[in-house]
Amino acid sequence: MVTAGALERLRDGNRRAITSLLANEGPMSRADLARGTGLSRTTISSLVTDLIGSGDIVETADRGRPHKGGSGRPPHLVALSVPRGAVAGVDIGHGHVRVAVADRSGVVLAEEIDTLDVDEHGVAALDRAAGMVRDGLATARVERSDLHAVGMCVPAPLDRRSARIRTGIMPGWRHLSPGDELQRRLDVPTFADNDANLGALAELGRGAARGLTDVLYVKVASGLGAGVVLGGRLHRGATGIAGEIGHVQVGEDGQVCRCGNRGCLETVVSAPRLVALLQPAYDEELTVESVLELDADGDAGRSVGRALADLCNSLNPEAVVLGGSLGTSASLAAGVRAAVDRYAQPDTAAAVRVVAGELGDRAEVLGAVSLAMAKVAP
């Protein structure tokens, strides 16, 4: 016999399925919700009425399109209610600070990027980030008292036990706790994570990994790192440094890495390293874009893919999503694909897609916005 409590738990789960789908896809018709959740139209109609009554969703003024281009009446759309207030996302890179202010549904209201030497000047970068958040609030016409949370990312592993940067990758940040430091400047709850983790979070919710549950997001830029998604959740590891593939050793006698070891993958395929390797052969000054054109054979991608093949064998992901300044390169993707096919187990290689991210260099700041949203009570 099914109890009333069991039925209510089932109904709560179905409500969450609807709100999760609306959060990921935006406004939808009741028929699309039925198709997306697998629930019957009668159940969807009842649950949508409940959710409108509780204020969790609203019926919009816009109309959708009839299913498959039919000639019927355009359906009404429903969308998540937007709670009052805002959140902010802060992307700290090795050479930039990017800030976005968004409403609590994730719609970006203001965005700004500034270039500066972040690695050597942690305090100055944090001061600049705080100033950019204030500027963004002013641009978006949001009162500072309505800023509920800030998410931020840094291009270095954060120790989960202390929330501090303990490596020498960013000399001006060593032993700093980025989240605590920015929170002190803004007097708003602030949550920090690694940049590749938040890039993965953004692509999972808004980009190339939507609808997937097991994904490797690989950021190839001034550094190299991976965000690991298992069972639909970020996997950070025991101390928060899961996914540090840039420091997989590929040659014992290789170049000394900024982490202190020798022969790390990052010394071979990061954007600055590729520019430095090729520049002596060319009179004109090379850029990341021109290096991508010169690497038509996909050598960089094969180096990255060799390390990823081992990860694929261990984790069996559905997709490898490539991000960062080199992530949009067709030759990089082709090289990764070739190496995964060559070095991963056949069934593993057959199961994984290698795709470019859809969010480009905004993935990390959008992931920071998503992190802030997740930390705010509904």
Side-chain angles (χ1 to χ4, degrees), residues 16-357:
R16 287 193 296 272
I18 291 172
T19 56
S20 177
L21 191 59
L22 289 172
N24 287 330
E25 301 294 335
M28 299 177 70
S29 69
R30 290 164 174 78
D32 286 336
L33 284 171
R35 283 186 285 271
T37 61
L39 300 173
S40 71
R41 292 198 179 197
T42 301
T43 299
I44 287 291
S45 179
S46 173
L47 293 172
V48 164
T49 298
D50 288 350
L51 289 166
I52 290 175
S54 64
D56 292 302
I57 67 175
V58 294
E59 196 163 73
T60 73
D62 299 326
R63 294 282 193 123
R65 294 181 178 179
H67 183 50
K68 294 184 178 179
S71 58
R73 187 176 180 183
H76 289 285
L77 302 180
V78 293
L80 286 179
S81 299
V82 180
R84 178 181 171 82
V87 296
V90 177
D91 166 25
I92 304 285
H94 289 293
H96 74 266
V97 176
R98 185 192 293 266
V99 168
V101 173
D103 68 22
R104 288 178 58 189
S105 71
V107 175
V108 173
L109 307 174
E111 188 169 344
E112 181 183 2
I113 185 170
D114 194 9
T115 57
L116 64 157
D117 181 1
V118 170
D119 288 2
E120 298 288 345
H121 303 98
V123 171
L126 286 161
D127 288 342
R128 181 69 184 115
M132 290 169 68
V133 170
R134 296 186 192 101
D135 291 345
L137 292 173
T139 299
R141 297 182 179 180
V142 174
E143 296 293 330
R144 288 183 62 182
S145 58
D146 285 333
L147 181 64
H148 290 275
V150 177
M152 72 178 298
C153 62
V154 293
L158 283 173
D159 191 311
R160 290 186 73 180
R161 299 161 295 188
S162 65
R164 294 180 182 274
I165 296 175
R166 296 192 178 277
T167 74
I169 291 174
M170 300 171 72
W173 295 70
R174 192 155 192 175
H175 301 304
L176 281 179
S177 174
D180 291 344
E181 291 288 339
L182 191 57
Q183 179 166 320
R184 182 169 60 81
R185 287 163 170 81
L186 293 171
D187 195 27
V188 174
T190 301
F191 307 90
D193 207 331
N194 172 262
D195 59 350
N197 284 345
L198 295 195
L201 188 64
E203 291 287 356
L204 189 68
R206 304 178 181 229
R210 278 175 305 205
L212 304 182
T213 57
D214 297 282
V215 177
L216 297 177
Y217 171 81
V218 185
K219 183 181 179 183
V220 191
S222 53
L224 184 67
V228 181
V229 177
L230 300 176
R233 299 171 65 89
L234 276 172
H235 177 73
R236 295 178 174 87
T239 61
I241 61 172
E244 285 294 312
I245 64 166
H247 302 287
V248 172
Q249 190 180 62
V250 294
E252 292 183 5
D253 300 323
Q255 183 181 9
V256 175
C257 180
R258 58 185 173 176
C259 73
N261 289 331
R262 185 179 289 274
C264 292
L265 179 61
E266 189 174 291
T267 66
V268 179
V269 297
S270 67
R273 178 59 178 161
L274 291 175
V275 171
L277 281 173
L278 292 172
Q279 185 61 71
Y282 295 87
D283 294 329
E284 69 275 14
E285 183 176 354
L286 295 181
T287 63
V288 171
E289 291 75 18
S290 57
V291 165
L292 292 178
E293 294 176 4
L294 293 170
D295 187 35
D297 293 332
D299 291 339
R302 278 193 290 274
S303 296
V304 175
R306 179 66 184 86
L308 288 176
D310 292 336
L311 262 182
C312 288
N313 281 336
S314 299
L315 302 178
N316 190 205
E318 299 165 273
V320 170
V321 179
L322 301 174
S325 56
L326 299 180
T328 58
S329 165
S331 63
L332 184 84
V336 170
R337 177 77 263 177
V340 169
D341 288 341
R342 169 68 178 83
Y343 295 108
Q345 292 294 312
D347 286 348
T348 299
V352 66
R353 295 186 292 122
V354 177
V355 297

